[in-house]
Amino acid sequence: MESIEPLIAHVQGLSSSVDDICHLHNLLKQAEESLQSQAPRLALVLEQLDPSKHSLGYLYILEAYTSAPIQKEQASELVVYIANFINTCLSDQIQLAPDKFTCVCKRFKDQVLQLEAPVRGVGPLRAAVRKLQTSSEHLTALHPDFLQLCLLAKCYKTGICVLEEDIFEVDQPRDFFLYCYYGGMICIGQKLFRKAMELLHNVVTAPMSSTNAIAVEAYKKYILVSLIHNGQFSTGFPKYTSSVAQRSMKNFSQSYVDLANSYNTGKIAELESCAETNREKFELDNNLGLVKQVVSSLYKRNIQRLTQTYLTLSLQDIANTVQLRTPKEAEMHVLQMIQDGEIFATINQKDGMVSFHEDPEQYKTCEMIEHIDSSIQRMMALSKKLNAVDEVISCDPVYLAKAGRERPRFDIDDFDTVPQKFNM
Amino acid sequence: MASSSSSGLTFKLHPLVIVNISDHYTRVKSQEHFAPPKTNGDASSSLPSSPPRVFGCVIGVQRGRTVEIFNSFELLYDPSTDSLDRPFLEKKQELYKKVFPNFYILGWYSTGSDAQESDMSIHKALMDINESPVYVLLNPSINPAQKDLPVTIYESELHVIDGIPQLIFVRANYTIETVEAERISVDHVAHLKPSDGGSAATQLAAHLTGIHSAIKMLNSRVRVLHHYLLAMQKGDIPCENSLLRQVSSLLRRLPAIESAKFQDDFLMEYNDTLLITYLAMFTNCASTMNELVDKFNTAYDRHSRRGGRTAFI
C-alpha cells in the first residue's frame, strides 16, 4: 500500500486542467509497476475515485485490477463497475491512454461473454466506441468488439447505427477486416443486402500482404449476398484488389462458385441439387441460411426477367415459367416484390392478369432535387478527400522509387514532361 | 491638396472615358514591357521600375453648374518642355469639333496613385483653353479590397498658403452617368475574354462567375430593401408612401409565370442540370480514384507489375 495513497491523492488533485492531466499521466506511467503488483487490493481504491472526474487515474487503476485473473463471483460486479466507468468517463482524458482503455474494454467483453450475457455489453461498448473515436470517421480497435457483441446479442439495430458512418482512418488493418466482416453479417441479419455487399466487398478487396482467413470467409458470404441482391455474380476482381487475394480466393470457395454458376442457368431444380450436394460445406461455414435465401431469390430473379419480355402475363403463366406450384404462390411472390419496390406492376384479380409498368419516377419533384443536391455535396466532400490522399501518395518515396524505375529511359528532349492528365 | 472643392459644380463622368484611359494605359504598359531593355544584357525582360504615365484630354459639355465629361483622347507628353503636345491637341480639337459641335475641352487626364506637383504646370497650360480645367486621375494599381472606382476628379482652386496665393488641386465629387447605347457597348468591352482562355472550362467558369456576382449584388440590394421595410414597419423611419409604391410594383412584377405546367417543366430541367453536374462529379471522382489505385498498386503491390513498361509519355 506504500505508493497507492499518494497516488490517489495525486489523482484526486490533478484531474482538473490540461497541464495537470499531463503531469498526472506521467506519474501514472511511472507507477504502473506498483499498481500491477497490488492488483487485488485495488477494488477498495476504486471506491474512492469518481470516474467522471478522475477518469485517467481510474482507468490506470482499473486496468491494473483487471490484469489479474478474476473469479467468477466477482465477474458480475466487475462488469457493473466497468460499465459504469465507460458510461461516465471523460473522453479527452481517456484519449491520452487509448491502448489502456482498449485493453479494459476487451477484458470487459471477455467477462460479458463468460457470463453469457452479451446484451449487457452492447450499451457500454457503444459508449466506449464513441468516446475513443477522435472523429466519426475513425475506426478504433473497439469497433469490431462492439459489432461482435451486437451479433451475439442479436441487437442488430444498435450495430447499424454505428455502421452508418463512413470510415476514413484505420488504426490496425485487422480491426478493419473484422469490422467489415461483422458489419456485413449484421447487415445480412437486417436484410440490408446492398450495404452488406459493400462491407464484404471492402474486406475482399482490402490491401493484404498474405491470405487472410477473414477475407476468405467474407468472400464466401459475398458470393451469396451478391446472388441474392444482384442476381448475378462476376468472378473477376476489381483492379484495386491485392494480387494475393486475386490468386487465392477462388481456391477456398469452389463450392460457392459452383452454386453461382448453377444460379446463372435460372433453373430451380439445378440450383437446389447443387445446394444439396454441397450442403455439409455450407453448414460448416454457417452459411446454410444464406444459401436457402439464395434459392428463394431465384424465383424473384426469374419474375424480374419476365418483366423485360412481357407487358402482361397471367398468374398461371408466371407460375409455369418460374416453376412455382400454384398461381396463388405466384401472386404472393409478385405482391411481395411490388411491396419491396423491386418491380412495378398491377395485379388484376378478376382475370388473374399481371401488367408490368415502367418506373413511374418522373424526377420532377422537389424531394428529388434535394436528394440529388445532397448527393452532389457528398461527392464533392469525397472528391476533396481523394485529392488529398492522391497528393500524399504522389509524394510517397516508395511510389516515386518504383515509378521512376519503370520509366523508359529516353532523352530529356524526347518527351514532354507535362504529366498526361493535363494534356488536352 | 485640399479635401473637397467648394466651387459647387456637379461632375458627371461617362464610363467611356474610364475605359479609354484604362485602355490607353494598358496598351502603353504592354508595349513598353515587350520593348527590349537597352542597357542590361540578361535574357529576361524586366518590368520598368515604375509604371508609365499616360496623358490625354477629356472633352464634354458644361451646362450651367453641371459638367458632363463624355469622351477623351490621348496626347503625347513631352518631358523636355514638361507640357503636352500643343499642336496635336489643337488639331484634334478641330477634328472633334466637326463631329461633336457641342463638346469642349474640359480638362485632361493622367494615371497614377496621387496628383503630383508637376501636374500643376500642365494644368496651368490648359487654362487658356478652359478657365477651370478638370484633372481626371485613374489609379491603375489593382486593389481587390477597394470597392469604389479608382478614379478621382480634381479641380484647381486659388488658396492662400503662407501668404502666397497658390493654385492647388482639390478633390471633387462626381457621379457616373450613362446612356443605354453606351452601357451596352461598355458592358461588351468589359466582358471580353482573354484570347488564351479559350478552353471551354475557363469560359464557363468566367460566365458562371459573372452570374454569381450579379446574383450576389441582387441579393445584397434586396436585403437592403428588406431591412429598410422592416425598419419602416417598426416605426424607426417615417413611412414614405412613394417608396412603398415602388417596392410594391417591383414585387408585383415577379414571379413572371406561375402555373403547374411551368413548375413541372422548370423542375424537370433543374433536375436534368443537377444530374449532369452529378455525373460530372462522379466522373471526376472516379478518375481520381482510378489514378490513386494505380499509384497504390505501383507502390505497394509486389506482384502486379511484371515486366510492364508504362507508357510515361
Side-chain angles (χ1 to χ4, degrees), chain A residues 239-256:
Chain A
K239 78 171 178 184
Y240 46 86
T241 327
S242 66
S243 48
V244 168
Q246 286 186 20
R247 282 196 303 254
S248 53
M249 285 296 175
K250 297 220 194 75
N251 304 340
F252 291 104
S253 38
Q254 193 51 47
S255 40
Y256 293 85

Side-chain angles (χ1 to χ4, degrees), chain B residues 183-221:
Chain B
R183 188 184 64 76
I184 295 174
S185 40
V186 167
D187 193 57
H188 192 71
V189 165
H191 285 133
L192 275 180
K193 307 287 184 291
S195 59
D196 59 338
S199 90
T202 49
Q203 275 181 350
L204 179 65
H207 174 67
L208 286 178
T209 319
I211 294 189
H212 172 76
S213 44
I215 295 181
K216 211 160 74 159
M217 200 176 293
L218 177 67
N219 189 20
S220 69
R221 301 241 166 109

Side-chain angles (χ1 to χ4, degrees), chain A residues 207 209 239-243 247 362-366 368-369 372-373 375-376 379-380 382-383 386-387 389-390 393-394 396 398-399 402-403 406-408 410 415 420-421, chain B residues 199 263-265 267-268 270-271 274-275 277-278 281-282 284-285 287-305 308-313:
Chain A
S209 46
K239 78 171 178 184
Y240 46 86
T241 327
S242 66
S243 48
R247 282 196 303 254
Q362 289 276 32
Y363 297 96
K364 280 200 280 198
T365 57
C366 289
M368 187 53 70
I369 292 181
I372 302 181
D373 199 39
S375 305
I376 293 180
M379 190 70 67
M380 278 173 23
L382 181 63
S383 179
L386 274 182
N387 278 328
V389 177
D390 194 32
I393 204 176
S394 303
D396 195 356
V398 179
Y399 164 68
K402 292 221 179 130
E406 289 182 8
R407 213 163 68 183
F410 285 144
F415 66 92
Q420 206 160 13
K421 189 158 83 158
Chain B
S199 90
Q263 194 76 345
D264 264 354
D265 288 342
L267 283 178
M268 196 132 62
Y270 190 89
N271 266 327
L274 275 185
L275 277 172
T277 319
Y278 190 38
M281 285 259 38
F282 234 117
N284 199 6
C285 228
S287 137
T288 320
M289 188 108 84
N290 187 34
E291 280 176 24
L292 180 62
V293 166
D294 276 338
K295 287 189 179 134
F296 186 79
N297 277 343
T298 328
Y300 291 106
D301 209 5
R302 265 175 285 150
H303 311 287
S304 57
R305 302 281 200 192
R309 286 194 356 155
T310 56
F312 193 72
I313 303 278

Side-chain angles (χ1 to χ4, degrees), chain B residues 220-231 243 247 250:
Chain B
S220 69
R221 301 241 166 109
V222 166
R223 217 181 281 277
V224 164
L225 265 182
H226 183 229
H227 198 68
Y228 181 73
L229 286 173
L230 275 178
L243 208 67
V247 171
L250 179 72

